[in-house]
Amino acid sequence: MTKTTSNAMWGGRFAAGPDAIMEAINASIGFDQRMAAQDIQGSRAHAAMLAATGILTSNDADAIGEGLLTVLSEIERGEFAFSTALEDIHMNVEARLKDLIGEPAGRLHTGRSRNDQVATDFKLWVRDQMDAAIAGIEALIAAFLAQAEAGADWVMPGFTHLQTAQPVTWGHHMMAYVEMLGRDLSRFKDARARMNESPLGAAALAGTSFPIDRHMTAAALGFDRPAANSLDAVADRDFALEFLSSSSICAMHLSRFAEELVIWSSAQFRFVVLSDRFSTGSSIMPQKKNPDAAELIRAKIGRIMGAMVALFTVMKGLPLTYSKDMQEDKEQVFDAADHLMLALAAMEGMVRDMTANRDALETAAASGFSTATDLADWLVRTLNMPFRDAHHVTGSLVALAESKGCDLPELTLADMQSVHALISADVFDVLGVHNSVASRTSYGGTAPDQVRAQVARWKEVLK
Ligand code: ARG
């Protein structure tokens, strides 16, 4: 199984080629070909800089730049033959460049190493995904805002422990997700700003003796500046970890709304109707309309957080600087990015298309003694009762209503006065769900006016 010819790129000191198993475990071309465009972009910036600094002739640099564009178009047209023997995208591109332009191709790697090259390529790839995540989250926020605006005053039960707690507004519940996604947005923006330093020119680990211009390549690749320590530049994968951790938190948020959709679309709740476009049928039960997209979004956190844990585990304890372990970074990030973008897009579609069942929401909001807190607050406000006593009196009224098989608004005034003699008829004003939500006007509260103010604020933020 041993090859007789050594590797054309690094085989100078080797008498024989690698065992086939060695080649298989070593190669990353099967997946890192996804960074072909970034690899060529980085190499073109490097070649242009080598010419500008007089390290390469402009003839050679031009031939390299042109040749790389040809390689890119071959890859884009699907005409490129990727080779496992050439290990990775970097050496596949360079070998093809040599076929195309000959000797100048061998000068491209001056003042550079695959260590700074792969860090640069991967950063460019991850940066694009951060931008895609930011765009996807903004689109999803817009979908939640549309729901919140339409239903700023629709009432629904608010839950704690998944038990009816207090009436809230539909708009307020939608806006809770806007806040969560807003934090996701800021995490991605923050991580993007922090990662935007160029590793290129750190070379293998120590920098280079060639008079390169790292500021020039950094600017050409849209980085804010070159990374300031060459050892750190090739050893750092924080940007990938931050992408994965931001993605994990975002996926966790998506899974929570996905779970609510699964519950809400059930026959027992009927809070929402999902559109046919985002539901599926059952092959055996004709009546079924399943929330498959919501269930799959609920599950995506598994692989996304799994990728985060995997990469943390790979990076933990690695001595500086580059170790081949780090080649295991890419598939995790690729997979997590693909599935995060898919989940964001599917969630946006579902949120845009879903229809709230206002009657079912309101009926549910009015059941389960949801205005018990309003009653207790009335006792405090009107009878100047300490809240703890009011809580106790209200508890007795709930027990009375429960024994009569009714909810609080259906108790008679006589029922009420049997528990506390000073309760008067205007107590009934606070027991209705619409009055309840309208009264919650504290900043960030569920009152429709508060919801509308938050919708307006977010529209301004997103402008
Ligand atoms: N394929 C490698 C990776 O993804 C590229 C860097 C290889 N560097 C090295 N010194 N062998 O990490």
Side-chain angles (χ1 to χ4, degrees):
M1 289 288 253
T2 305
K3 290 220 186 141
T4 46
T5 47
S6 67
N7 187 294
M9 296 288 170
W10 46 249
R13 76 188 293 278
F14 290 83
D19 188 273
I21 300 292
M22 178 61 214
E23 198 170 282
I25 195 172
N26 202 33
S28 54
I29 188 60
F31 48 88
D32 68 13
Q33 53 183 269
R34 283 189 71 169
M35 307 192 304
Q38 289 77 11
D39 191 69
I40 286 167
Q41 189 190 1
S43 289
R44 282 172 50 84
H46 183 65
M49 178 278 290
L50 291 177
T53 51
I55 300 167
L56 281 195
T57 65
S58 45
N59 277 350
D60 283 350
D62 289 348
I64 290 169
E66 286 296 307
L68 285 169
L69 288 183
T70 306
V71 177
L72 181 61
S73 71
E74 289 177 357
I75 293 172
E76 284 172 351
R77 287 200 307 271
E79 289 165 7
F80 192 96
F82 291 105
S83 150
T84 309
L86 289 166
E87 273 182 53
D88 56 26
I89 186 62
H90 324 295
M91 299 204 293
N92 269 267
V93 168
E94 194 186 315
R96 179 65 187 138
L97 184 65
K98 181 138 187 277
D99 294 343
L100 291 169
I101 69 167
E103 192 250 19
R107 300 182 185 277
L108 168 61
H109 216 50
T110 313
R112 177 178 88 165
S113 151
R114 271 190 296 157
N115 296 347
D116 58 336
Q117 190 179 358
V118 73
T120 304
D121 295 2
F122 196 32
K123 267 197 168 181
L124 292 173
W125 198 93
V126 170
R127 196 176 67 185
D128 282 350
Q129 296 303 311
M130 291 202 178
D131 290 338
I134 287 166
I137 292 167
E138 283 178 349
L140 179 53
I141 287 178
F144 273 114
L145 284 176
Q147 284 286 350
E149 196 163 32
D153 58 1
W154 304 347
V155 287
M156 65 178 283
F159 299 93
T160 61
H161 313 267
L162 197 55
Q163 306 287 322
T164 300
Q166 294 174 346
V168 296
T169 49
W170 170 262
H172 198 49
H173 198 105
M174 296 300 113
M175 291 306 288
Y177 283 95
V178 169
E179 292 294 327
M180 291 147 86
L181 291 164
R183 289 192 295 275
D184 291 328
L185 203 55
S186 84
R187 261 184 287 276
F188 279 111
K189 287 183 174 173
D190 183 51
R192 190 199 191 284
R194 188 166 26 257
M195 75 169 285
N196 206 28
E197 296 184 341
S198 174
L200 194 58
L205 76 167
T208 175
S209 57
F210 290 100
I212 60 170
D213 184 350
R214 294 191 58 208
H215 293 274
M216 182 180 168
T217 47
L221 297 171
F223 289 111
D224 296 326
R225 64 192 80 86
N229 181 298
S230 62
L231 304 176
D232 175 52
V234 296
D236 168 41
R237 292 295 181 273
D238 290 3
F239 59 96
L241 291 169
E242 286 200 60
F243 176 76
L244 291 174
S245 46
S246 303
S247 297
S248 296
I249 297 175
C250 182
M252 176 274 288
H253 290 152
L254 298 184
S255 81
R256 294 182 75 169
F257 192 62
E259 166 72 350
E260 299 205 302
L261 287 181
V262 170
I263 295 172
W264 292 357
S265 63
S266 68
Q268 289 70 26
F269 270 74
R270 297 191 315 107
F271 282 8
V272 292
V273 179
L274 298 176
S275 73
D276 288 353
R277 303 196 318 140
F278 287 97
S279 311
T280 54
S282 158
S283 54
I284 176 167
M285 296 165 282
Q287 85 285 9
K288 296 255 303 199
K289 185 169 160 187
N290 293 328
D292 289 39
E295 295 168 272
L296 287 161
I297 294 170
R298 186 172 60 183
K300 292 297 181 195
I301 174 74
R303 65 199 302 156
I304 293 172
M305 198 177 72
M308 179 189 76
V309 173
L311 187 55
F312 267 105
T313 312
V314 166
M315 296 306 295
K316 176 198 168 294
L318 282 188
L320 299 189
T321 53
Y322 176 85
S323 295
K324 197 60 176 261
D325 309 51
M326 289 158 69
Q327 180 166 286
E328 293 283 316
D329 56 1
K330 289 169 212 64
E331 284 166 292
Q332 302 297 340
V333 173
F334 292 166
D335 186 78
D338 289 345
H339 289 272
L340 179 69
M341 303 317 153
L342 192 54
L344 283 168
M347 187 60 99
E348 189 214 331
M350 272 196 297
V351 172
R352 283 205 180 283
D353 281 13
M354 73 186 179
T355 311
N357 183 347
R358 289 179 65 179
D359 292 339
L361 288 170
E362 187 158 338
T363 304
S367 67
F369 314 106
S370 66
T371 52
T373 315
D374 299 85
L375 174 51
D377 288 349
W378 184 90
L379 293 170
V380 170
R381 220 178 300 115
T382 313
L383 303 182
N384 196 28
M385 214 181 263
F387 183 78
R388 282 294 156 221
D389 298 346
H391 185 285
H392 194 79
V393 169
T394 306
S396 304
L397 287 164
V398 166
L400 178 61
E402 202 165 31
S403 72
K404 300 186 77 173
C406 68
D407 214 298
L408 290 171
E410 282 95 56
L411 288 176
T412 64
L413 184 59
D415 290 333
M416 296 268 188
Q417 290 172 342
S418 73
V419 173
H420 196 284
L422 295 180
I423 296 177
S424 55
D426 57 338
V427 72
F428 290 100
D429 291 346
V430 302
L431 298 182
V433 288
H434 284 283
N435 285 342
S436 170
V437 296
S439 74
R440 300 274 194 279
T441 52
S442 53
Y443 181 81
T446 201
D449 285 348
Q450 283 294 323
V451 172
R452 290 188 189 103
Q454 293 299 330
V455 170
R457 180 177 71 81
W458 270 102
K459 282 185 165 175
E460 210 48 47
V461 169
L462 289 185
K463 250 188 206 155

